Amino acid sequence: PHPRVNGPDLTLKLCERAAKSGLKVAFYGGSDETIALLTGELARQYPGLQVVLAQSPPMIPMDAIEQDR
């Protein structure tokens, strides 16, 4: 069996390695504020990290069926 790895831990390890090796990363999702906070903190923690996309897609309103779920 393999140990469980959660998403935030994996993201940090990936960013660390990407910064060291010159790989580019992208982030998609969340709010504009969350994306800005995330990319700012990652730039501080991992100098040299190349974020080539950080996008917060527009949210569409849920329709009545989705709201009832």
Side-chain angles (χ1 to χ4, degrees):
H2 297 286
R4 181 181 170 155
V5 178
N6 66 31
D9 290 343
L10 181 61
T11 299
L12 293 177
K13 185 56 81 174
L14 174 69
C15 288
E16 178 184 14
R17 290 190 179 192
K20 289 178 180 177
S21 64
L23 292 174
K24 297 172 183 169
V25 297
F27 297 97
Y28 184 83
S31 68
D32 288 334
E33 180 182 7
T34 299
I35 289 283
L37 290 170
L38 175 68
T39 55
E41 182 61 23
L42 291 174
R44 186 188 68 73
Q45 286 187 38
Y46 306 108
L49 182 65
Q50 298 178 62
V51 178
V52 296
L53 173 75
Q55 185 174 357
S56 174
M59 297 296 289
I60 58 171
M62 290 191 294
D63 64 25
I65 295 172
E66 292 173 321
Q67 289 177 355
D68 289 339
R69 288 185 187 164

